[in-house]
Amino acid sequence: MRPSKRAADELRPVTLERAVSRYAEGSCLVSFGNTRVLCTASLEERGPPWLRGSGKGWITAEYAMLPRATHDRTRREINSGKPSGRTQEIQRLIGRSLRAVTNLPAMGERQVTVDCDVIQADGGTRTAAITGAWVALYDCFAWMRTRSIISVDPLRDHVAAVSCGLYKGTPVLDLDYAEDSAADTDANFVLTGTGGIVEVQGTAEMEPFSVDQLLELLNLARAGTDRLVALQKEAIA
């Protein structure tokens, strides 16, 4: 039995609330159970200098965990002078995931920065951030189209992410903190709406896992991201 009493293939309750920021071109407050992440997408009329003259746009991401997102207060990373290795890894993952489903030339030479701030953490913050960031980016591009900044939607597909793991020997979907901290294997899957794989991150905490177990986790993740994409479609309808 999972600590949350969920079935092995059951997501936590997921919500995607749009337009939660008054000033951002696109925004979404995403909840995976008790994990809550505020995602905002901000348009900059200039792209990065190294893309100047290429005719292509760029999407980048920043990720942060607020001081009381966890049980104990953590120091703001700005006070240490630079983001931690974990933070850099996650924000690069978010940026890669969004760029994988975006037609960058359709943006023109512009940049969209997606900020993902964890308000409350209970496992799966990076997967929730990617799923909510897609909605914020969609609304940013819609804002641009209504103002004739771009003529077509640069998004080519949906992208969503979910964690899976081996908990007490059983493959389970969408780990919360109680499971994540005790899992034998922990993996994150970033998949597109059409089933393409953007990234797989998997780690054995105790015993190495087999190829068959990896495929079991992938199948769980496909079912989970299918549901997440359906929720994205409902949110933007």
Side-chain angles (χ1 to χ4, degrees):
M1 179 67 72
R2 304 178 71 175
S4 62
K5 308 297 190 294
R6 287 180 286 143
D9 62 350
E10 185 179 352
L11 290 169
R12 289 174 285 179
V14 176
T15 60
L16 296 162
E17 184 181 353
R18 296 166 68 194
V20 293
S21 173
R22 179 175 183 178
Y23 303 111
E25 284 78 20
S27 62
C28 176
L29 178 61
V30 55
S31 299
F32 278 36
N34 289 322
T35 289
R36 306 183 76 201
V37 185
L38 174 62
C39 306
T40 58
S42 302
L43 171 65
E44 300 172 53
E45 276 298 333
R46 292 185 302 176
W50 48 272
L51 273 180
R52 191 169 299 142
S54 69
K56 294 198 305 184
W58 193 247
I59 300 167
T60 189
E62 294 189 12
Y63 167 96
M65 194 171 293
L66 298 187
R68 277 317 300 265
T70 55
H71 293 91
D72 299 314
R73 185 186 186 276
T74 55
R75 294 184 63 205
R76 296 181 190 272
E77 291 186 345
I78 192 173
N79 294 330
S80 64
K82 64 177 182 178
S84 68
R86 176 182 180 273
T87 294
Q88 293 184 62
E89 175 212 345
I90 292 174
Q91 56 194 29
R92 288 169 181 163
L93 171 64
I94 297 168
R96 285 195 302 272
S97 301
L98 297 173
R99 291 193 297 272
V101 294
T102 303
N103 179 1
L104 296 175
M107 295 174 60
E109 292 192 20
R110 302 177 181 89
Q111 176 167 286
V112 174
T113 300
V114 180
D115 290 286
C116 299
D117 292 295
V118 180
I119 299 171
Q120 188 167 273
D122 186 34
T125 60
R126 74 186 68 194
T127 55
I130 291 167
T131 304
W134 185 92
V135 175
L137 183 63
Y138 173 90
D139 277 348
C140 179
F141 286 149
W143 184 93
M144 293 167 69
R145 291 199 313 276
T146 60
R147 288 156 180 80
S148 300
I149 298 171
I150 54 177
S151 58
V152 297
D153 185 0
L155 282 172
R156 300 177 299 193
D157 200 350
H158 289 252
V159 69
V162 72
S163 64
C164 296
L166 297 174
Y167 178 73
K168 296 184 178 180
T170 301
V172 294
L173 177 68
D174 190 20
L175 283 66
D176 57 24
Y177 179 76
E179 291 173 325
D180 189 24
S181 60
D184 302 321
T185 295
D186 178 24
N188 298 300
F189 295 84
V190 184
L191 306 176
T192 68
T194 52
I197 298 173
V198 176
E199 190 147 342
V200 177
Q201 303 175 330
T203 304
E205 299 292 346
M206 300 293 180
E207 295 294 325
F209 56 96
S210 68
V211 172
D212 288 342
Q213 288 172 321
L214 175 60
L215 293 176
E216 283 187 87
L217 296 178
L218 175 58
N219 288 333
L220 272 179
R222 284 192 188 281
T225 52
D226 283 349
R227 280 175 249 161
L228 293 171
V229 167
L231 289 171
Q232 288 175 335
K233 290 178 179 178
E234 288 178 19
I236 65 173

